[in-house]
Amino acid sequence: ASLTPRAVEEITREYLTVAGGHRPVLQVLKFATFTNAQGLAREKLWLSDGALVHGMAVPQEGRVLTPGCFVRLVKYDLSSFFGS
């Protein structure tokens, strides 16, 4: 897999969308697991296409993340990118 050029900018500007069938590939730079104020488990991911962004993710059963791995985003929304 190769990184999707300009994916971070294009997601935030809504040029890439789930509804549009886009499945961008980004690289995990680092991540942390935490519990939010509602008591739900979340992951904070630092993702890169060459530019940095962070987002929240719901932990998935069986998913293993390591720094440097590539991920294909299949479901995403801007509220997670902007930390809302």
Side-chain angles (χ1 to χ4, degrees):
S2 60
L3 296 176
T4 303
R6 299 178 312 280
V8 171
E9 178 182 359
E10 292 182 3
I11 289 169
T12 59
R13 293 178 184 244
E14 298 187 65
Y15 298 151
L16 295 180
T17 63
V18 173
H22 300 106
R23 305 293 185 264
V25 175
L26 299 171
Q27 187 173 23
V28 176
L29 298 181
K30 65 179 181 173
F31 61 93
T33 306
F34 67 98
T35 302
N36 70 9
Q38 292 77 32
L40 301 173
R42 292 289 183 259
E43 293 171 336
K44 185 172 190 175
L45 305 174
W46 284 262
L47 303 171
S48 177
D49 65 0
L52 297 178
V53 68
H54 77 271
M56 301 299 171
V58 176
Q60 294 179 347
E61 186 75 31
R63 177 175 66 191
V64 177
L65 294 175
T66 57
C69 73
F70 289 79
V71 294
R72 182 175 305 278
L73 302 183
V74 296
K75 183 178 178 185
Y76 50 94
D77 64 59
L78 290 180
S79 64
S80 66
F81 273 78
F82 294 120
S84 303

